[in-house]
């Protein structure tokens, strides 16, 4: 078909377009172009400011080094191509693709070294007048494929919190100005692959999922030489498991400032599994002290912490005594004490002696410091800049049994009668003496308890024992049920007259008070928490209090002292009282008169035990009656 078939019409059209012609412009992809052998090549060609039909035709031809030219392909003429290219065109290796009416693309799917040269794109004229340019050219340089990607296999297992170092060597033979880039990516399955970081001529660019981590320093480049690129993924977690892939790319900087990837190659670096801290963390507690300990000795316990990623961990160590927190050293090394080891008297201290080694020292142990001790470890991993800490695992050691000899306070008791009654109603006083006191701790105190056992046949009850009362370690009186009234009224008393002497006193001893008496003295100590605990108790030998009960008797003798001879005279008489087996007794006196043995009895006066004198009915209250 004649390429100029539209010319008559165009000439006719030109008559109506006088002075309005525009200059045709043909342009191709900016160059020069550098491509890698075996890679695809695309060169676009477009025409603007033309006349004629909207759809334009394009011819491609090339000039090889040395000046030889050959026709490549045409969008219009089927027989335009050089015979040497026919098989490649037939196979689709070389083709022309129309992108728009005025734009086409020359495509070479598998560029060869022989394809290098200057490519010309020409458009047949459809203009009324020849104006502008009808062809454009670009230089295509085909270089050998020398790109090599050689990764170093990472460790197959990485402890949680440790760094993953990914090294990849990307090289090429520098024959033309090309540039290299490397991309690390993580593949978790056939359909999921995430770019971690790309480093190339334009710098470093993290993948979308790693942008924050890259900004926080959790993903960083590691300097390398001779084509070696290194990437460090810090503080690995379970999310970092998978297969790592290294992709190397070769780039060229084309006209217009555009970067063009001309070849790329991928290489698997290897699969990485992240070993969780909880699986590798081990905690062992041991004692370096002799067993059992004596009070006042020093207790030393060791806590050994091991983990695959120990250098990446910040650990908090707490010693437990019978399940209670004793002392902690936090992940920053600050020691926080909760008191003595187990509520005893020992002072606890905790220090770090080496990597994963912690030592508990309790000086001056007491009996209460004995028990089961365990070491609890909490492992933390730093999340990065401003991200805080994540507790990765917690584990407690097997318990260590600590035995402290119980050296109880020791003393002797002597129960002595101070006042021993010989009859009913006489006072009784018993003294309980504490002597030969040893091992009573500083701040310790003594308490006493009194007990009475009745004699057979005395009282209404069979022979039984009854607590009289006690004085506790702080001196508080705790009366027994049967003696509470007498103790509260004061006719009985329990006292501590000296630091080591206790007394029991009856003001008026009754027959039911006869029997056997025992004093029990207990030693008390104060724990660090302020609790008072009994540490020892001893009982005295029994002391029997008894006398032979005798029937009391009372005799009264009245005597005339002065006779009254006449009316109005003074009459004086005496009344002498004698008793047996009454002890200290008070008396009441009744004075009566009788005219004759058969006469009625009249009361003259009464005198109470409290010496209160009252007139009887036989005397005039106005009369003078006295008593001496």
């Amino acid at each position: 078909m004649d390429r100029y078939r539209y010319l008559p019409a165009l000439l006719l059209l030109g008559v109506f377009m006088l002075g309005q012609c525009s200059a045709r412009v043909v342009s191709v992809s900016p160059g020069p172009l550098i491509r890698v052998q075996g890679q695809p090549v695309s060169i676009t060609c477009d025409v603007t400011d033309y006349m004629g039909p909207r759809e334009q035709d394009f011819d491609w031809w090339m000039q090889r080094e040395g000046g030889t030219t050959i026709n490549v392909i045409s969008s219009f003429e089927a027989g335009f191509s050089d015979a040497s290219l026919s098989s490649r065109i037939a196979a689709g290796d070389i083709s022309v693709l129309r992108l728009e009416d005025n734009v086409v693309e020359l495509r070479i799917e598998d560029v060869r070294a022989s394809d290098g040269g200057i490519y010309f794109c020409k458009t047949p004229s459809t203009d009324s007048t020849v104006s502008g340019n009808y062809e454009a050219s670009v230089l295509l340089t085909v270089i050998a494929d020398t790109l090599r990607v050689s990764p170093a296999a990472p460790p197959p297992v990485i402890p949680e919190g440790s760094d993953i170092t990914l090294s990849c060597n990307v090289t090429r033979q520098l024959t033309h100005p090309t540039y290299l880039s490397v991309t690390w990516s993580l593949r978790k399955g056939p359909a999921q692959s995430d770019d971690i970081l790309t480093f190339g001529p334009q710098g470093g660019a993290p993948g979308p999922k790693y942008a924050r981590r890259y900004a926080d320093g959790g993903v960083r480049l590691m300097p390398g030489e001779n084509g070696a690129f290194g990437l460090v993924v810090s503080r690995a977690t379970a999310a970092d498991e998978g297969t790592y892939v290294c992709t190397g790319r070769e780039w060229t900087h084309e006209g217009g400032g555009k970067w063009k990837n001309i070849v790329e190659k991928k290489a698997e670096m290897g699969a990485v599994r992240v070993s969780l801290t909880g699986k590798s963390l081990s905690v062992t507690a041991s004692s370096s002290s002799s067993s059992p300990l004596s009070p006042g000795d020093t207790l030393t316990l060791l806590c050994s912490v091991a983990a695959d990623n120990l250098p990446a961990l910040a650990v908090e160590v707490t010693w437990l005594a019978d399940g209670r927190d004793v002392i902690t050293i936090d992940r920053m090394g600050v020691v926080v004490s909760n008191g003595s080891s187990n509520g005893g008297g020992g002072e606890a201290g905790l220090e770090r002696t080496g990597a994963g080694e912690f030592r508990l020292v309790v000086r001056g142990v007491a009996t209460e410091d004995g028990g089961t001790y365990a070491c609890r470890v909490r492992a933390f991993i730093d999340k990065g800049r401003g991200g805080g800490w994540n507790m990765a695992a917690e584990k407690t050691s097997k318990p260590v049994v600590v035995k402290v000899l119980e050296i109880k306070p020791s003393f002797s008791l002597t129960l002595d009668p101070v006042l021993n009654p010989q009859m009913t109603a006489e006072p009784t006083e018993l003294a309980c003496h504490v002597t030969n006191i040893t091992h009573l701790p500083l701040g310790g105190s003594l308490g006493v308890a009194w007990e009475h056992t009745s004699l057979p046949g005395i009282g209404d009850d069979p022979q039984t024992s009854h607590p009289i009362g006690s004085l506790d370690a702080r001196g508080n009186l705790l009366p027994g049920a049967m003696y509470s009234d007498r103790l509260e009224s004061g006719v009985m008393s329990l006292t501590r007259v000296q630091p080591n002497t206790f007394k029991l006193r009856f003001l008026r001893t009754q027959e039911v008070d006869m029997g056997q008496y025992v004093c029990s003295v207990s030693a008390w100590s104060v724990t660090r928490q302020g609790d008072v605990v009994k540490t020892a108790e001893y009982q005295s030998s029994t002391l029997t209090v008894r006398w032979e009960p005798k029937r009391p008797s009372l005799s009264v003798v009245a005597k005339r002292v002065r006779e009254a001879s006449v009316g109005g005279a003074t009459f004086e008489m005496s009344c002498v009282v004698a008793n047996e087996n009454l002890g200290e007794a008070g008396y009441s006196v009744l004075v009566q008169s009788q005219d004759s043995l058969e006469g009625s009895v009249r009361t003259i006066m009464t005198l109470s035990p409290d010496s209160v004198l009252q007139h009887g009915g036989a005397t005039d209250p106005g009369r003078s009656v006295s008593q001496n």
Side-chain angles (χ1 to χ4, degrees):
M1 183 180 290
D2 190 355
R3 295 189 179 191
Y4 302 97
R5 59 191 183 282
Y6 302 109
L7 185 56
L10 293 174
L11 292 175
L12 180 62
L13 181 61
V15 174
F16 299 100
M17 299 179 63
L18 296 175
Q20 299 182 17
C21 294
S22 57
R24 174 185 290 255
V25 177
V26 177
S27 58
V28 294
S29 301
L33 305 178
I34 301 176
R35 297 294 183 267
V36 175
Q37 186 176 344
Q39 299 299 310
V41 177
S42 296
I43 306 175
T44 59
C45 180
D46 67 88
V47 58
T48 58
D49 299 331
Y50 59 89
M51 299 175 63
R54 180 183 298 276
E55 183 176 294
Q56 294 287 295
D57 291 322
F58 298 84
D59 295 334
W60 288 92
W61 59 282
M62 69 168 293
Q63 181 180 7
R64 290 175 173 164
E65 186 177 355
T68 303
T69 62
I70 61 171
N71 292 339
V72 180
I73 196 168
S74 172
S75 65
F76 178 68
E77 292 188 34
F80 177 80
S81 302
D82 188 272
S84 63
L85 303 176
S86 58
S87 61
R88 297 177 64 187
I89 293 174
D93 184 32
I94 299 176
S95 62
V96 61
L97 178 65
R98 184 176 294 279
L99 304 179
E100 296 180 31
D101 290 339
N102 62 325
V103 182
V104 296
E105 181 180 72
L106 172 64
R107 293 183 61 86
I108 304 176
E109 301 298 334
D110 186 0
V111 70
R112 304 176 182 178
S114 59
D115 294 330
I118 301 175
Y119 282 76
F120 294 86
C121 175
K122 182 177 181 180
T123 60
S125 176
T126 57
D127 303 325
S128 59
T129 59
V130 178
S131 178
N133 70 306
Y134 287 81
E135 67 179 24
S137 63
V138 63
L139 172 63
L140 172 64
T141 300
V142 180
I143 62 176
D145 183 0
T146 60
L147 180 65
R148 298 291 181 269
V149 178
S150 303
V157 179
I158 294 292
E160 182 182 16
S162 299
D163 294 347
I164 303 176
T165 301
L166 304 170
S167 297
C168 188
N169 192 276
V170 180
T171 60
R172 53 87 173 87
Q173 294 180 5
L174 183 60
T175 58
H176 290 78
T178 58
Y179 306 86
L180 297 177
S181 73
V182 59
T183 298
W184 291 271
S185 57
L186 176 60
R187 190 174 69 232
K188 289 182 172 291
Q192 182 182 354
S193 180
D194 298 308
D195 286 351
I196 302 172
L197 182 71
T198 296
F199 179 69
Q202 294 179 288
K209 291 186 176 181
Y210 290 84
R212 175 65 181 275
R213 199 167 175 182
Y214 177 73
D216 292 341
V219 173
R220 66 183 188 275
L221 285 168
M222 183 174 65
E225 297 179 350
N226 300 323
F229 297 86
L231 180 71
V232 178
V233 179
S234 300
R235 300 175 292 277
T237 66
D240 296 317
E241 288 187 336
T243 300
Y244 286 86
V245 178
C246 174
T247 302
R249 295 182 177 93
E250 192 171 358
W251 300 77
T252 181
H253 199 202
E254 298 183 343
K258 178 182 177 182
W259 287 97
K260 175 66 177 178
N261 175 21
I262 58 177
V263 66
E264 70 176 53
K265 293 182 180 179
K266 295 179 181 289
E268 282 193 3
M269 306 185 73
V272 172
R273 180 176 64 85
V274 176
S275 174
L276 297 181
T277 303
K279 294 183 178 180
S280 65
L281 180 65
S282 66
V283 182
T284 304
S286 61
S287 173
S288 62
S289 301
S290 59
S291 182
L293 295 169
S294 297
D297 288 350
T298 297
L299 169 65
T300 302
L301 298 177
L302 304 178
C303 180
S304 299
V305 183
D308 292 344
N309 57 337
L310 187 61
L313 299 177
V315 296
E316 174 189 278
V317 175
T318 300
W319 276 98
L320 311 173
D322 293 334
R324 182 182 62 84
D325 289 8
V326 173
I327 193 168
T328 299
I329 182 170
D330 66 15
R331 62 176 182 269
M332 304 304 293
V334 178
V335 177
V336 179
S337 176
N338 296 317
S340 63
S341 60
N342 207 8
E347 289 293 336
L350 181 59
E351 61 180 346
R352 182 178 183 270
T353 59
E357 298 293 332
F358 299 85
R359 180 170 59 198
L360 170 69
V361 177
V362 182
R363 294 179 174 85
V365 297
T367 303
E368 295 78 12
D369 293 317
T372 57
Y373 287 73
C375 177
R376 183 186 67 207
V377 174
R378 290 172 177 165
F380 295 85
I381 295 178
D382 187 3
K383 290 184 177 180
R385 301 175 188 172
W389 294 85
N390 175 56
M391 190 174 79
E394 177 180 328
K395 191 162 290 188
T396 302
S397 71
K398 292 182 179 180
V400 174
V401 177
V402 174
K403 295 182 179 180
V404 180
L405 293 175
E406 185 177 3
I407 302 180
K408 296 181 179 180
S410 176
F411 44 83
S412 302
L413 297 181
T414 303
L415 182 57
D416 296 323
V418 180
L419 292 175
N420 200 359
Q422 301 302 314
M423 63 178 63
T424 305
E426 287 187 350
T428 301
E429 186 173 302
L430 306 181
C432 185
H433 301 283
V434 185
T435 57
N436 303 323
I437 301 175
T438 58
H439 303 301
L440 183 65
L442 183 66
S445 57
L446 300 176
V448 67
W450 293 89
E451 188 175 281
H452 170 241
T453 303
S454 60
L455 293 176
I458 301 297
D460 298 331
D461 296 333
Q463 186 177 14
T464 55
S465 298
H466 299 285
I468 299 173
S470 63
L471 295 174
D472 66 12
R474 292 190 170 96
N476 300 312
L477 173 63
L478 305 173
M482 294 185 60
Y483 293 86
S484 59
D485 292 342
R486 298 173 69 183
L487 286 168
E488 290 173 3
S489 66
V491 297
M492 284 180 62
S493 63
L494 301 180
T495 57
R496 180 174 184 166
V497 295
Q498 292 181 359
N500 302 332
T501 301
F502 302 91
K503 284 189 176 183
L504 167 64
R505 181 177 177 83
F506 295 85
L507 294 182
R508 295 176 63 84
T509 312
Q510 304 173 12
E511 287 188 17
V512 295
D513 296 326
M514 288 192 295
Q516 295 177 336
Y517 288 83
V518 170
C519 67
S520 297
V521 176
S522 54
W524 299 78
S525 62
V526 182
T527 67
R528 187 165 297 276
Q529 284 69 37
D531 300 326
V532 180
V533 295
K534 182 163 63 175
T535 56
E537 184 174 13
Y538 293 88
Q539 189 178 74
S540 71
S541 58
T542 59
L543 174 66
T544 302
V545 175
R546 69 176 301 164
W547 62 90
E548 290 298 330
K550 297 178 181 180
R551 180 177 298 276
S553 63
L554 185 67
S555 62
V556 179
V557 177
K559 295 181 179 181
R560 293 183 182 88
V561 177
R562 182 187 301 177
E563 292 282 355
S565 58
V566 295
T570 299
F571 171 74
E572 182 179 349
M573 65 176 289
S574 68
C575 187
V576 180
V577 180
N579 71 76
E580 291 183 1
N581 305 319
L582 282 180
E584 296 180 4
Y587 302 98
S588 65
V589 178
L590 173 64
V591 180
Q592 295 176 321
S593 67
Q594 196 175 15
D595 292 337
S596 64
L597 295 176
E598 292 81 11
S600 60
V601 178
R602 294 175 297 174
T603 300
I604 298 175
M605 60 175 289
T606 61
L607 182 66
S608 73
D610 298 327
S611 299
V612 176
L613 178 67
Q614 290 184 341
H615 289 277
T619 59
D620 183 357
R623 297 177 66 184
S624 175
V625 179
S626 63
Q627 59 92 18
N628 293 318

